[in-house]
C-alpha cells in the first residue's frame, strides 16, 4: 500500500511577513463593491487620470514599427541614459555620467535594487513618516529595519535636522524620503535639505535615497530642490525618479536612478539576474518624454493645482478634518482623529482604517488609511480625479459624517 503525503502549502517567512500594498487592497475592495453595482468614487489610487501625451505614444508606435524587440542593455539604452543625463542637468542642475545611470522597470524596481545592494541584516533605514507605502516593506524584504521618524501636520509633516540626528544609530545605513511627498504633498526647500545634509555629512556611512518622482507636480512656483545638489551630498545620494507621475505613464513601467558609480554598478548587476533590462518599447518612448521640455506637461500640473484648491476648500468646510496645504504631488493627508470614538449603527470608529472603511461603505468613496504610510491618525485622499468627482465625493463624505 502506498502512502500519499499531504501536500504542504507553506510559503516562505519572507512573503508571509510582508504586508499587502494598502493602496492596492483598497482598490480591490472598491472594485468588489462596484461589482455589486455600487457607484464608488475612487480617490485611493496614486495615478494621474490623464492619458499619456500623444508625442510619447507616437514614439512607442514608431519603436514597434522600427522593430525594437530584442533584449535591451540591462541598465537601459544608451540613448535613454543620455536623455536621463540631459534631464538631470536641465531640471536639477545635476551632472551625472553614463555609468551613474540605471534604468529600471519603474521607480519601484529602482528602490528594490537599492535596498538589495546596500542593506545587510539589521541595517537601519530612517523613514520620515508619513512615507510612501512600499518603503518599509522593501526595506524589510531585504533584511533591513525601518526606523520611523514621526512628523506632525503642524510642521507640514517634515522631518527636522534634530529629529534626524536623534534617529541615527551605528546601524543607520540610509535615509529614504520623497519630496514632493506621497502621501503628504510636502516638499522640502533647499534650506530644509541643507539642514538635513549638515547632520548627514557628520556620518560618513549614511546614504540618502531621494525619491523625486513628483518633482514636476509642484505648486510653489519655486524650482524643485534635489538632495544630490546640496553641497557635499552628490556622492551620498541616490536620486530616484521616473515617468509614471509627471507624464501619466504608470503602466509603462520606467524609472531610473542617478547614483554613485559603485552603487549604480551593483544595481545593474542585481537587475541583470532578476528582470534584465526594462521593456524596449517603453524605453524608446521615454527617450522622447525626457528630451521634451517639462512645459509639455504643464497642463496637467495646472489642473492638479485647481483640484488641490478645490478639495482643500471642501474638506475645510467639514468639521473634524484637519488639513495642511500640500505643496506638491496630488494628495491631501488630513488628520481625522476627531472622529475616533464615534459610533454608527453600533460600530465604533477607532482608527484611520475604520474611518476609511466607513467612508467606503457609507459614502461610497475610496481613500487609503494613513496606517499604511506610518501615520494612524490620517487618511490619504488622492485628487487625481475630475473636479466633478471631487465635488460629489466630498459632498457624500460630508453627508455620511453628519450621521456620526
Ligand atoms: C508612484 C510612486 C513610485 C513608483 O513609481 P513607478 O515608477 O510607477 O514604480 C515611487 N515613489 C513614490 C513616492 C510614488 O508615489
Amino acid at each position: 500500500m502506498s502512502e500519499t503525503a499531504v501536500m504542504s502549502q507553506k510559503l516562505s517567512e519572507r512573503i508571509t511577513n510582508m504586508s499587502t500594498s494598502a493602496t492596492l487592497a483598497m482598490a480591490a475592495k472598491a472594485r468588489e463593491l462596484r461589482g455589486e453595482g455600487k457607484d464608488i468614487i475612487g480617490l485611493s489610487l496614486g495615478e494621474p487620470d490623464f492619458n499619456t501625451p500623444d508625442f510619447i505614444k507616437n514614439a512607442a508606435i514608431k519603436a514597434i514599427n522600427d522593430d525594437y524587440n530584442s533584449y535591451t542593455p540591462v541598465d537601459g539604452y544608451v540613448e535613454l541614459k543620455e536623455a536621463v543625463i540631459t534631464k538631470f542637468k536641465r531640471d536639477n542642475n545635476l551632472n551625472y555620467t553614463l555609468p551613474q545611470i540605471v534604468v529600471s522597470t519603474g521607480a519601484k524596481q529602482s528602490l528594490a535594487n537599492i535596498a538589495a545592494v546596500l542593506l545587510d541584516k539589521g541595517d537601519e533605514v530612517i523613514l520620515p513618516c508619513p512615507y510612501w507605502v512600499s518603503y518599509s516593506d522593501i526595506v524589510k524584504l531585504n533584511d533591513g529595519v525601518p526606523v520611523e521618524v514621526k512628523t506632525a501636520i503642524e510642521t507640514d509633516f517634515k522631518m527636522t535636522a534634530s529629529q534626524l540626528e536623534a534617529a541615527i544609530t551605528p546601524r543607520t545605513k540610509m535615509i529614504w524620503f520623497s519630496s514632493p511627498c506621497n502621501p503628504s504633498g510636502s516638499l522640502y526647500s533647499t534650506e530644509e535639505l541643507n539642514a538635513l545634509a549638515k547632520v548627514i555629512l557628520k556620518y560618513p556611512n549614511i546614504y540618502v535615497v531621494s525619491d523625486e518622482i513628483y518633482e514636476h507636480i509642484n505648486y510653489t512656483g519655486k524650482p524643485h530642490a534635489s538632495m544630490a545638489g546640496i553641497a557635499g551630498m552628490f556622492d551620498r545620494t541616490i536620486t530616484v525618479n521616473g515617468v509614471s507621475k509627471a507624464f501619466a505613464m504608470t503602466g509603462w513601467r520606467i524609472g531610473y536612478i542617478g547614483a554613485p558609480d559603485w552603487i549604480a554598478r551593483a544595481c545593474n548587476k542585481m537587475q541583470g539576474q532578476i528582470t534584465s533590462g526594462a521593456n524596449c518599447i517603453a524605453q524608446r518612448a521615454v527617450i522622447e518624454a525626457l528630451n521634451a521640455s517639462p512645459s509639455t506637461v504643464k497642463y496637467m500640473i495646472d489642473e492638479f493645482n485647481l483640484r488641490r484648491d478645490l478639495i482643500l476648500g471642501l474638506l475645510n468646510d467639514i468639521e473634524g478634518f484637519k488639513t495642511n496645504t500640500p505643496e506638491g504631488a496630488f494628495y491631501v493627508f488630513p488628520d481625522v482623529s476627531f472622529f475616533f470614538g464615534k459610533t454608527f449603527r453600533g460600530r465604533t470608529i477607532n482608527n484611520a482604517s475604520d474611518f476609511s472603511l466607513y467612508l467606503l461603505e457609507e459614502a461610497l468613496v475610496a481613500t487609503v488609511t494613513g496606517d499604511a504610510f506610518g501615520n494612524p491618525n490620517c487618511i490619504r485622499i488622492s485628487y487625481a480625479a475630475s473636479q466633478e468627482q471631487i465635488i460629489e465625493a466630498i459632498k457624500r463624505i460630508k453627508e455620511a459624517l453628519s450621521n456620526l
Side-chain angles (χ1 to χ4, degrees):
M1 239 174 38
S2 69
E3 272 182 57
T4 310
V6 179
M7 194 168 81
S8 156
Q9 296 191 341
K10 188 181 170 298
L11 293 169
S12 68
E13 282 175 31
R14 186 179 305 116
I15 191 67
T16 310
N17 292 339
M18 187 191 287
S19 37
T20 305
S21 164
T23 50
L24 299 182
M26 186 44 115
K29 189 142 196 138
R31 219 165 17 243
E32 187 187 309
L33 289 177
R34 276 194 197 109
E36 293 169 13
K38 299 219 165 93
D39 165 32
I40 306 289
I41 301 180
L43 302 183
S44 64
L45 263 191
E47 69 180 326
D49 57 323
F50 293 98
N51 288 319
T52 304
D54 284 341
F55 76 97
I56 303 173
K57 292 197 288 194
N58 290 336
I61 292 164
K62 181 167 186 313
I64 293 174
N65 290 327
D66 288 350
D67 295 316
Y68 279 96
N69 41 34
S70 307
Y71 282 127
T72 64
V74 170
D75 53 347
Y77 287 123
V78 171
E79 296 94 318
L80 177 51
K81 298 206 312 170
E82 282 168 346
V84 169
I85 289 172
T86 302
K87 175 246 132 26
F88 274 134
K89 178 72 194 156
R90 178 192 64 213
D91 301 342
N92 314 113
N93 199 27
L94 297 174
N95 294 301
Y96 286 107
T97 56
L98 279 173
Q100 297 184 289
I101 308 297
V102 179
V103 174
S104 297
T105 300
K108 208 175 224 178
Q109 187 184 21
S110 303
L111 292 163
N113 284 341
I114 295 162
V117 307
L118 284 178
L119 293 177
D120 277 317
K121 196 169 176 55
D123 283 346
E124 294 175 357
V125 178
I126 294 177
L127 305 178
C129 296
Y131 49 79
W132 185 48
V133 65
S134 292
Y135 288 174
S136 83
D137 277 288
I138 292 175
V139 166
K140 284 191 265 182
L141 183 62
N142 290 284
D143 293 330
V145 179
V147 175
E148 299 187 351
V149 173
K150 306 281 176 212
T151 65
I153 194 166
E154 290 78 12
T155 48
D156 285 323
F157 298 108
K158 283 189 263 194
M159 176 173 69
T160 63
S162 56
Q163 283 180 306
L164 170 61
E165 185 133 40
I168 291 174
T169 76
R171 289 310 305 263
T172 305
K173 181 80 187 189
M174 286 187 275
I175 300 153
W176 284 25
F177 76 109
S178 61
S179 174
C181 174
N182 174 4
S184 69
S186 299
L187 186 154
Y188 285 83
S189 66
T190 305
E191 297 71 41
E192 287 162 337
L193 293 183
N194 259 318
L196 297 176
K198 235 169 135 177
V199 174
I200 295 160
L201 290 169
K202 286 195 223 167
Y203 301 86
N205 303 319
I206 299 181
Y207 291 83
V208 177
V209 168
S210 179
D211 181 344
E212 305 182 11
I213 200 158
Y214 292 96
E215 83 175 293
H216 294 303
I217 309 178
N218 172 340
Y219 313 115
T220 63
K222 291 187 207 136
H224 168 78
S226 288
M227 188 55 118
I230 303 295
M233 289 303 296
F234 189 72
D235 294 333
R236 296 288 207 95
T237 304
I238 302 141
T239 308
V240 176
N241 210 321
V243 291
S244 282
K245 309 295 158 55
F247 295 96
M249 294 181 75
T250 49
W252 296 68
R253 312 304 307 126
I254 299 290
Y256 54 87
I257 58 167
D261 310 37
W262 60 281
I263 296 176
R265 212 176 308 124
C267 289
N268 187 2
K269 179 177 170 190
M270 171 62 56
Q271 192 162 290
Q273 293 290 21
I274 303 215
T275 53
S276 297
N279 176 281
C280 53
I281 307 303
Q283 286 196 52
R284 299 313 300 184
V286 171
I287 294 171
E288 298 304 314
L290 294 183
N291 280 331
S293 155
S295 64
T296 54
V297 293
K298 188 161 181 300
Y299 67 97
M300 294 191 239
I301 319 302
D302 290 343
E303 176 61 23
F304 284 135
N305 200 350
L306 292 175
R307 294 171 184 177
R308 176 191 66 154
D309 296 344
L310 174 69
I311 197 166
L312 277 179
L314 294 169
L315 285 176
N316 288 336
D317 216 29
I318 304 177
E319 194 201 2
F321 269 93
K322 189 152 110 196
T323 62
N324 67 325
T325 303
E327 296 186 315
F330 38 68
Y331 312 99
V332 268
F333 200 63
D335 184 310
V336 295
S337 56
F338 172 88
F339 299 98
F340 298 172
K342 296 191 187 289
T343 300
F344 182 70
R345 290 198 198 133
R347 254 170 58 195
T348 305
I349 293 174
N350 287 314
N351 50 45
S353 295
D354 293 348
F355 185 81
S356 180
L357 200 60
Y358 178 80
L359 295 187
L360 181 64
E361 289 173 353
E362 300 299 329
L364 305 181
V365 176
T367 58
V368 187
T369 172
D371 285 58
F373 308 95
N375 185 324
N377 290 328
C378 296
I379 61 168
R380 188 188 78 174
I381 308 178
S382 162
Y383 49 89
S386 71
Q387 298 193 28
E388 296 72 47
Q389 283 175 310
I390 291 169
I391 292 168
E392 173 64 18
I394 307 303
K395 183 172 136 244
R396 289 190 198 172
I397 288 177
K398 190 172 183 176
E399 274 166 24
L401 293 177
S402 69
N403 295 327
L404 285 176

